[in-house]
Amino acid sequence: TTYMIHVLNMNSSQIGAVFLCVFVTGIPGSKLGGMIGLKINPLRSALLCLVVFIINTSLAAWIMSGEESQHIMYLFAAVWGLCLGWLHPTNAALYCTIIPRGQESELMGLYLFSGLVFSWVPPFLFTFLNEIGASMRIGLASLNLFFAGGFFFLKMIGDYQNAVDFALSRGGGGNDESRTSKEGCDGIEGTKRLSLPVLT
């Protein structure tokens, strides 16, 4: 909002339209995330979404330099909305499938807690850069630090199917009765699809 007011000189109606654009495009974004997650897997889908986030944010900070860029804001907002609708359910699906069985409540609580605790950091960094006199375009681009950080830590998971297998073996004690079939061929170039464990 600060960027739209002070850099793009947008009025309240225009800002409301931008937010509406973000919310509306989030709906097909969630559908897109599900489709891509099935085509590849939730981990690769999340990584791809973060790459799109970084590209879109970088271009926005580079291109949107003044009032003449107001109309382009709606395009960038649509991509941000698409990515938000894509990333959040994908992250939840990814996290749920690599949680060891028996620790679902504990680790989902940690997941939700962490998201709330650190939600202030990106706006704080933007505000800090603004207060020390840095360009708001730099402040906008600084959001890529968090997208890049998320990409780095997701890459540390390694192979997704191995992570799922490890979670199931840790939670079920490694015996065959505690597992269901974890892999299924979806018929597209032999891509493997996860079958979630059946809770008993």
Side-chain angles (χ1 to χ4, degrees):
T1 304
T2 304
Y3 193 90
M4 288 187 282
I5 293 173
H6 294 285
V7 177
L8 303 181
N9 294 320
M10 300 180 78
N11 58 43
S12 57
S13 298
Q14 291 172 314
I15 293 172
V18 168
F19 279 109
L20 178 62
C21 184
V22 171
F23 295 143
V24 170
T25 54
I27 299 173
S30 62
K31 180 65 175 178
L32 176 66
M35 292 171 58
I36 295 178
L38 290 177
K39 287 285 186 180
I40 42 182
N41 62 51
L43 177 58
R44 290 176 181 170
S45 178
L47 291 171
L48 178 60
C49 184
L50 289 172
V51 170
V52 177
F53 251 130
I54 291 172
I55 294 173
N56 191 60
T57 304
S58 299
L59 289 175
W62 178 41
I63 294 174
M64 296 193 301
S65 57
E67 190 172 351
E68 67 281 359
S69 304
Q70 287 182 358
H71 62 285
I72 307 177
M73 180 64 193
Y74 298 102
L75 175 61
F76 287 115
V79 178
W80 276 318
L82 196 73
C83 289
L84 286 171
W86 173 0
L87 186 62
H88 286 291
T90 299
N91 278 343
L94 168 62
Y95 193 76
C96 288
T97 54
I98 62 175
I99 293 177
R101 293 181 64 181
Q103 295 182 264
E104 292 87 355
S105 298
E106 170 191 350
L107 293 179
M108 277 307 297
L110 178 63
Y111 173 81
L112 296 173
F113 174 77
S114 300
L116 293 173
V117 166
F118 293 107
S119 61
W120 59 272
V121 180
F124 171 78
L125 178 59
F126 181 88
T127 302
F128 173 77
L129 292 172
N130 184 48
E131 289 298 318
I132 64 174
S135 169
M136 284 194 181
R137 297 172 70 183
I138 295 177
L140 180 60
S142 70
L143 297 177
N144 285 330
L145 293 175
F146 301 99
F147 299 137
F151 186 95
F152 172 77
F153 286 112
L154 283 176
K155 285 293 289 183
M156 292 181 67
I157 294 175
D159 182 78
Y160 173 69
Q161 193 61 50
N162 288 341
V164 173
D165 293 344
F166 178 77
L168 291 175
S169 65
R170 284 288 299 273
N175 55 55
D176 294 335
E177 294 180 356
S178 66
R179 300 186 182 189
T180 60
S181 175
K182 297 178 289 302
E183 297 179 353
C185 182
D186 63 7
I188 303 175
E189 297 181 359
T191 304
K192 293 180 179 179
R193 180 184 299 171
L194 171 69
S195 297
L196 297 178
V198 178
L199 299 179
T200 57

